[in-house]
Amino acid sequence: MAYLQLAHNEWDPKAKYAKAKVIYSFGREDEVDRAVLERLAKSISRFLSPEQAWEIETLTGEVSDDFQFQSSKRLGGAWLLDQLWRQLGLGEILHSLFASRHHQIPLERLIFAMVANRALHPSSKLAMEEWVEKDVHIPHLPQVASHQLYRAMDELLAVQPELERQVFHAVADLLNLEVDLIYFDTTSSYFEVDPSETPEGESLRKQGFSKDKRPDLVQIVIGLAVTREGVPIRAWVWPGNTMDMTVIKQVKQDLIGWKLGRVISVMDRGFSSEENLRILQQAGGHYIVGEKMRSGKAAVEEALNRRGRYQQVRENLHIKEIIVGDGEARQRYVLVYNPSEAERQRKERETLLESLKEELEGLRQLPNEAHHKATCRLRSHPSYGKYLRQLKDGTLRIDKQAVREAEKYDGKYLIRTSDDTLSAEDVALGYKQLVDIEQAFRTLKSTLELRPMYHRLEDRIRAHVLLSWLALLLVRIVEIRTHESWPKVRDECERLMLGHFSSKNGDLYQRTELTAKQAQLFAALGMEPPPKILGIHPRP
């Protein structure tokens, strides 16, 4: 015979173990009114959280079997980015910057949604309405309207200078960034707009030198500064016809305003004018820049022709330090030689010259007019032309002197620095890390799909770049911490889904089970994965 009793455990200090104390006895099991027990259980459940009540029902097997699967959304990618967003304090920064504006719309959440969209599924602001509502779970943002997103972009741009400063210092403190070396470079980004269709007086979208190989379209020029770890700390936007040589003064002044201390700027050959180098040395700064080896500068020619042995410091990295001049005119160079790259360039030139020989053989078979046109085409060819010379009778020949001259530069590049405290090896390795900024630009353009852009208003264009910079900041931190590419991390985390189930008693939101890889990624980033039950909403 079985009896039902309501009891709880009490600690017995003398016996030193818990003893069951009967609170109420319901009597024999076969005589108990089960409806009374159900009412009692429901009354007790009122004092539990929905998650606790659901857990108890799951353990006791009392879960209703009439749950229907309504829908699912991607959860892992947005959750990861949101947790990192909070770790870096970006949400708090935005809340403080917008505190005095008293807006009715959730500006911080809207800005995060646009940043997450760049990183996870780049789309237009109009397409984001459906993306947020139906495709992805953005914490605390069930839906958006495109006009709200545009309003948030305008508000974001209004606080840009202070936002950039606070974001840099928050990220630098949290990640212990080394900001003694700042890498800078520029790129271009085009618009799918015919130049003739741009309005009169257009100040930003201009035609210029296109690094995307689209000179037929209007564009903007984007500058990016990153740390030696590859973390982007600031972005700039200039008109599409801006030349690299003209932006250094603004970049230097903007970074001086952040009081970074001793900074060595690392830049490519496009910024190595004497005026720019003087600017980079302002406020105690220094530079490491690439020199154009065919610039015709006397000091460069002397450095290239200086005899001396190379010192091997890494595999395929040989260096030679060269000092040109004395006193104030003293200039310090490091000539770098990469044997593997030299061999690659030699083979490429041999293949090109073989092809050129075939082209010259084919000229003999052409009649007068066709021969003349083919000759002009070869002479103006960007690859063939530099290896050709034309005799007095108009005949084209391969210029052997030009070939020998090209061989002198195979696998070599020349670096100039103003800092005497760095070893030649540190100078070479520091310049070699420019590849990080090139990788950042590739991520910005390809993975985050910065271009083509369809915005027309200048402020919206600038805000679009600002959002893309914030997305790149999150992406690069994820890559650094996990040692994985962002596409791999994104694809793995996006497989973590949030399911919506409903019954007559209410709605339940539950995620799919974590994979071992997903758990590893969250752990590497120092964050908790989303809880199994994200929400229970009982029906009134």
Side-chain angles (χ1 to χ4, degrees), residues 184-190 208-215 219-223 240 242-244 268 270-271 441 445 451:
F184 176 81
D185 204 350
T186 63
T187 190
S188 57
S189 189
Y190 60 82
F209 176 73
S210 174
K211 298 185 180 182
D212 298 310
K213 296 181 172 57
R214 291 303 305 268
Q219 64 177 21
I220 57 173
V221 171
I222 299 171
T242 302
M243 302 297 291
D244 283 352
D268 210 343
F271 306 95
F441 277 134
K445 290 183 176 182
R451 51 95 170 102

Side-chain angles (χ1 to χ4, degrees), residues 178-328:
E178 296 185 36
V179 291
D180 54 338
L181 292 184
I182 298 293
Y183 296 82
F184 176 81
D185 204 350
T186 63
T187 190
S188 57
S189 189
Y190 60 82
F191 297 77
E192 292 286 8
V193 177
D194 188 272
S196 63
E197 298 176 7
T198 56
E200 190 174 343
E202 176 78 41
S203 61
L204 197 59
R205 295 182 298 175
K206 299 281 188 179
Q207 283 182 285
F209 176 73
S210 174
K211 298 185 180 182
D212 298 310
K213 296 181 172 57
R214 291 303 305 268
D216 56 313
L217 298 176
V218 291
Q219 64 177 21
I220 57 173
V221 171
I222 299 171
L224 196 62
V226 306
T227 66
R228 65 164 68 204
E229 298 91 348
V231 177
I233 61 171
R234 187 156 183 169
W236 290 263
V237 179
W238 294 289
N241 57 359
T242 302
M243 302 297 291
D244 283 352
M245 287 288 188
T246 64
V247 303
I248 295 302
K249 187 173 184 179
Q250 180 185 343
V251 172
K252 180 65 178 180
Q253 288 176 343
D254 289 345
L255 293 180
I256 286 176
W258 284 1
K259 300 178 180 179
L260 300 181
R262 179 178 178 273
V263 172
I264 303 172
S265 303
V266 186
M267 301 183 183
D268 210 343
R269 293 170 295 183
F271 306 95
S272 60
S273 70
E274 294 302 319
E275 181 182 357
N276 280 342
L277 298 184
R278 284 193 295 271
I279 291 172
L280 291 175
Q281 287 185 277
Q282 292 176 1
H286 286 283
Y287 60 78
I288 297 174
V289 298
E291 276 280 15
K292 295 179 180 178
M293 292 191 290
R294 294 177 175 86
S295 65
K297 293 181 181 178
V300 170
E301 291 296 326
E302 183 177 346
L304 291 173
N305 293 325
R306 182 75 59 84
R307 294 181 177 276
R309 291 185 176 182
Y310 286 96
Q311 173 191 356
Q312 182 172 350
V313 294
R314 293 284 194 281
E315 184 180 3
N316 289 318
L317 185 64
H318 302 242
I319 62 173
K320 180 167 60 174
E321 183 174 6
I322 303 161
I323 304 298
V324 175
D326 298 306
E328 293 185 1

Side-chain angles (χ1 to χ4, degrees), residues 28-29 66 81 86 96 145 160 190 195 260 263 268 329 331 334 354 409 456-457 474 509:
R28 285 171 44 174
E29 182 181 14
D66 62 351
L81 292 173
R86 296 172 188 275
S96 67
Q160 179 180 0
Y190 60 82
L260 300 181
V263 172
D268 210 343
Q331 295 177 11
V334 176
E354 287 296 325
Y409 301 101
R456 180 180 61 85
L457 299 178
L474 298 181
Y509 296 86

Side-chain angles (χ1 to χ4, degrees), residues 91-100 166:
E92 293 180 4
I93 291 172
L94 288 172
H95 281 305
S96 67
L97 293 176
F98 295 138
S100 62
Q166 290 196 33

Side-chain angles (χ1 to χ4, degrees), residues 15-172:
K16 296 186 178 181
Y17 62 84
K19 293 182 178 180
K21 180 179 179 180
V22 176
I23 298 174
Y24 183 80
S25 180
F26 295 97
R28 285 171 44 174
E29 182 181 14
D30 58 347
E31 294 177 354
V32 171
D33 186 347
R34 299 192 65 84
V36 174
L37 294 179
E38 289 177 2
R39 288 197 299 271
L40 178 62
K42 289 181 179 179
S43 297
I44 295 174
S45 296
R46 288 183 302 169
F47 298 96
L48 302 176
S49 68
E51 292 80 2
Q52 291 170 327
W54 174 262
E55 184 177 354
I56 291 174
E57 290 178 354
T58 303
L59 292 173
T60 59
E62 295 295 328
V63 178
S64 173
D65 60 359
D66 62 351
F67 268 92
Q68 294 182 340
F69 176 56
Q70 297 292 347
S71 63
S72 67
K73 286 185 172 184
R74 295 184 181 89
L75 171 64
W79 182 274
L80 181 150
L81 292 173
D82 187 53
Q83 293 298 302
L84 182 56
W85 181 267
R86 296 172 188 275
Q87 279 185 7
L88 299 175
L90 302 186
E92 293 180 4
I93 291 172
L94 288 172
H95 281 305
S96 67
L97 293 176
F98 295 138
S100 62
R101 297 175 181 265
H102 306 295
H103 287 290
Q104 300 301 314
I105 58 175
L107 285 175
E108 182 270 337
R109 286 289 83 191
L110 293 169
I111 291 168
F112 169 74
M114 289 186 284
V115 170
N117 178 258
R118 283 290 104 198
L120 298 171
H121 188 75
S123 65
S124 68
K125 303 303 176 282
L126 184 61
M128 274 190 64
E129 293 182 352
E130 184 172 346
W131 183 68
V132 170
E133 183 179 359
K134 298 180 179 180
D135 297 334
V136 66
H137 174 75
I138 301 291
H140 309 296
L141 190 71
Q143 57 186 16
V144 299
S146 57
H147 70 273
Q148 293 177 329
L149 297 173
Y150 287 124
R151 178 67 180 277
M153 291 177 72
D154 296 339
E155 295 294 338
L156 179 67
L157 194 64
V159 299
Q160 179 180 0
E162 184 61 18
L163 171 69
E164 290 174 329
R165 188 187 67 80
Q166 290 196 33
V167 167
F168 167 74
H169 287 292
V171 172

